[in-house]
């Protein structure tokens, strides 16, 4: 048995171990945490987004609008 066969066996064993663990990616978790929604452009923000970041979005994207116009459901300091 050559080294190539040993390496292949090791990859197969590790594939079985990794399949049992499941995905370690946080992309699904991050998508679920996006629940602040701009009512004008429908852009989503993470639940941890603070007022200064939302104000920056309003200033850059929707001049003439207020934070309340874009995010009527947002409450400062509220926990989701």
């Amino acid at each position: 048995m050559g080294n190539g066969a040993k390496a292949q066996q090791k990859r197969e064993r590790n594939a079985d171990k990794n399949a049992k663990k499941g995905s370690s990616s946080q992309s699904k978790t991050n998508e679920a945490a996006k629940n602040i929604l701009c009512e004008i452009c429908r852009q989503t923000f993470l639940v941890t987004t603070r007022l200064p970041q939302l104000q920056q979005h309003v200033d850059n994207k929707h001049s003439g609008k207020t934070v309340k116009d874009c995010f009527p459901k947002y409450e400062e300091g509220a926990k989701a």
Side-chain angles (χ1 to χ4, degrees):
M1 186 182 288
N3 286 337
K6 288 180 183 178
Q8 182 60 33
Q9 286 177 339
K10 189 170 184 176
R11 281 192 290 269
E12 289 171 0
R13 277 196 309 268
N14 287 337
D16 291 340
K17 288 180 188 176
N18 291 339
K20 293 176 186 173
K21 279 192 227 175
S23 177
S24 62
S25 173
Q26 277 199 293
S27 61
K28 290 182 184 176
T29 305
N30 289 345
E31 282 299 317
K34 291 182 178 179
N35 69 348
I36 298 175
L37 179 69
C38 176
E39 294 293 326
I40 296 171
C41 67
R42 311 303 282 178
Q43 182 174 349
T44 57
F45 296 88
L46 291 174
V47 68
T48 57
T49 304
R50 302 281 183 220
L51 185 60
Q53 292 170 316
L54 298 178
Q55 183 65 51
Q56 183 179 16
H57 169 80
V58 172
D59 293 342
N60 292 337
K61 305 282 184 181
H62 312 296
S63 58
K65 301 285 184 181
T66 65
V67 174
K68 267 299 193 203
D69 292 337
C70 292
F71 307 101
K73 297 176 187 172
Y74 177 76
E75 295 177 17
E76 181 72 32
K79 298 285 181 187

